[in-house]
Amino acid sequence: MHPRVKKIILIGITALFLLVALLVGRAIVLNKVKEKVQEKLDALNKTGYHIQYDTIYLDWRRNLMVIEKFVIQKNAYDTACIYPEFLSADQVRLKGFRLFTLLFKNTLSFESFIINDPHLMLRKHSSLLPDSTGAPKKAFALIVDEVRLISAHVEYADSACNLLTDIEADIQITELDMAQPLHEPIRVSSNQLTFFNAAIKLPNAYYHLNILELRWNFTNKTLELDTMRITPQLSKVAFGRTVGREIDRIEGVIPFIKLRHCDITLRDSVSFRARHGSVQGFMKFFRDKRLVHKRIWKPLPVAHLRRLPFGLRIDTLTIAKSYVEYEEVPEENHVSGSIFFDDLTGRITSIDNDPKLRAGETIVGASARFMGGGELSVD
């Protein structure tokens, strides 16, 4: 046999051997991962949680692990509230397990982590969320190229079991990197977080919000909202009557919000900063003056900012060509009147809720056409 042919055969046999070894090794490690997942779920059952799932199965040919019909609860038999806390998913798929990353970097790594129909129900002072103050018994690291939550559903209720928020959306996280070192807080980073077709219900406020897309790119430090529609769930007259007092009813569309050079800080307290931003809105306000006027303290915008539970700073916010309409029914009449401002543009600088700031540092400049006629400006 020719030496060159022998060399080719030897290379082929070696490559085949390495491929078989890789597949076998990956299958063995995947089985170990499956066993560890089952052990962790069983251990959680002994710590006050109630874990259920139909099956956990492996497909080593497709490099895939699947968990079917997963549910986690705490106080599963609590009947004190019609909204018991739980986390469930129709299917959890972990695909593209990387053997070498585990062997050489001691990091669990996957190409994708797909959760179908996840549903999370939380209440104020939740007992479902784990205690973050406990020190981990073992270091942990996880890398996932893409996380997708398909038809995600999140509900939040107050301590009196009143549903406050109901959110449905598709969610994507790219380049997720989680690390839990010993005796240190968990570290989480990603390239981008995106919400698609988000539907937000606010039952107590009688509003629905629909967002086409909300994209936060942590690498480029940008936050962009594409088309948010604000829809009241009651008619103009019924809105104030249901609330029981004179109140603004708001509806409209915000075509975009764009923030640049964004940073968020989570240590000690939460704070958010953006150097530049722009927004556009087409908004309509309605008020029924025939209703009871209750003396409710209405702080100025700067005071509103300072009451936020997190730090907020936007150096410059530009208002693109917008539209605002105000309609009112007077106290002694049944016919409403309205005014509107179109071609509304403006610029707001030094938006900041730092309590150390002196009042009046935020500067507002705006101009608009009043009722389609002459131009008005405010500086």
Side-chain angles (χ1 to χ4, degrees):
M1 185 179 292
H2 195 279
R4 188 175 180 182
V5 176
K6 286 183 178 180
K7 187 176 181 179
I8 294 173
I9 294 173
L10 181 60
I11 292 173
I13 292 173
T14 304
L16 181 61
F17 174 78
L18 290 175
L19 178 61
V20 172
L22 175 63
L23 292 175
V24 172
R26 190 174 67 185
I28 292 172
V29 176
L30 271 175
N31 271 297
K32 289 292 184 182
V33 172
K34 174 185 174 182
E35 291 172 5
K36 284 292 183 183
V37 169
Q38 289 175 320
E39 288 176 9
K40 290 291 184 182
L41 294 178
D42 291 341
L44 277 174
N45 268 324
K46 299 176 183 178
T47 60
Y49 287 95
H50 181 63
I51 313 295
Q52 289 180 302
Y53 56 91
D54 280 1
T55 57
I56 300 179
Y57 68 85
L58 299 176
D59 185 341
W60 63 268
R61 293 181 182 86
R62 298 168 60 195
N63 198 9
L64 175 70
M65 182 168 72
V66 179
I67 305 174
E68 297 279 5
K69 306 295 184 183
F70 174 80
V71 180
I72 178 170
Q73 295 175 289
K74 202 167 187 180
N75 304 323
Y77 301 103
D78 179 17
T79 58
C81 180
I82 60 172
Y83 298 109
E85 293 189 298
F86 68 90
L87 170 62
S88 68
D90 187 64
Q91 186 184 75
V92 180
R93 297 165 59 89
L94 293 88
K95 190 174 182 180
F97 170 71
R98 297 186 178 99
L99 177 61
F100 291 137
T101 307
L102 181 62
L103 294 178
F104 296 109
K105 294 185 178 180
N106 196 30
T107 299
L108 199 58
S109 178
F110 294 89
E111 291 178 5
S112 65
F113 186 12
I114 301 173
I115 308 177
N116 290 316
D117 297 313
H119 189 178
L120 174 63
M121 177 68 228
L122 287 178
R123 299 204 306 257
K124 189 177 181 181
H125 309 304
S126 172
S127 62
L128 182 67
L129 299 177
D131 184 6
S132 59
T133 59
K137 297 180 180 179
K138 190 175 181 180
F140 174 78
L142 172 68
I143 294 176
V144 185
D145 294 351
E146 181 189 30
V147 179
R148 290 171 58 199
L149 282 67
I150 301 173
S151 300
H153 187 189
V154 179
E155 297 175 282
Y156 180 74
D158 62 17
S159 53
C161 292
N162 298 308
L163 187 63
L164 301 180
T165 309
D166 185 317
I167 304 173
E168 296 183 18
D170 292 330
I171 304 172
Q172 180 192 51
I173 305 171
T174 57
E175 298 180 27
L176 177 66
D177 190 340
M178 299 177 62
Q180 175 66 85
L182 286 174
H183 313 298
E184 292 183 28
I186 188 169
R187 297 196 298 264
V188 181
S189 65
S190 73
N191 173 51
Q192 183 167 283
L193 170 65
T194 309
F195 292 80
F196 301 97
N197 301 315
I200 305 170
K201 299 176 183 177
L202 306 171
N204 281 8
Y206 311 108
Y207 281 105
H208 284 185
L209 310 178
N210 293 91
I211 300 174
L212 183 63
E213 185 174 327
L214 177 64
R215 180 172 58 254
W216 192 342
N217 190 300
F218 301 102
T219 303
N220 296 333
K221 296 186 176 182
T222 59
L223 178 62
E224 297 184 352
L225 179 146
D226 179 3
T227 313
M228 178 171 73
R229 184 176 296 276
I230 304 169
T231 308
Q233 294 307 290
L234 298 170
S235 68
K236 292 179 179 179
V237 174
F239 192 90
R241 290 179 177 176
T242 303
V243 175
R245 61 181 174 85
E246 181 184 316
I247 188 174
D248 286 330
R249 176 187 182 272
I250 305 170
E251 66 176 311
V253 175
I254 298 176
F256 67 83
I257 298 175
K258 297 179 181 179
L259 299 175
R260 298 287 183 266
H261 304 289
C262 303
D263 289 297
I264 186 168
T265 303
L266 300 176
R267 292 184 178 179
D268 299 326
S269 61
V270 179
S271 63
F272 176 84
R273 179 183 179 182
R275 293 187 181 178
H276 305 288
S278 58
V279 62
Q280 184 181 47
F282 299 90
M283 310 300 296
K284 294 182 179 181
F285 299 81
F286 174 84
R287 178 175 283 256
D288 191 343
K289 303 290 287 186
R290 298 169 299 178
L291 299 174
V292 175
H293 176 72
K294 295 184 179 180
R295 292 184 176 271
I296 298 175
W297 179 62
K298 297 180 180 179
L300 294 173
V302 173
H304 264 303
L305 287 174
R306 291 177 179 171
R307 288 166 59 88
L308 291 174
F310 59 89
L312 174 65
R313 179 174 179 179
I314 302 175
D315 294 349
T316 304
L317 180 65
T318 301
I319 302 173
K321 188 177 288 187
S322 299
Y323 174 90
V324 175
E325 178 183 308
Y326 178 76
E327 182 182 359
E328 179 182 290
V329 178
E331 293 184 38
E332 299 178 356
N333 203 330
H334 295 287
V335 180
S336 67
S338 64
I339 60 173
F340 66 87
F341 301 86
D342 57 359
D343 293 340
L344 172 65
T345 59
R347 182 183 176 91
I348 306 173
T349 60
S350 300
I351 300 172
D352 199 323
N353 64 355
D354 188 337
K356 296 179 182 178
L357 288 178
R358 298 192 304 272
E361 282 204 26
T362 299
I363 300 172
V364 180
S367 65
R369 290 194 306 126
F370 178 66
M371 303 285 285
E375 182 174 321
L376 298 176
S377 62
V378 177
D379 292 310

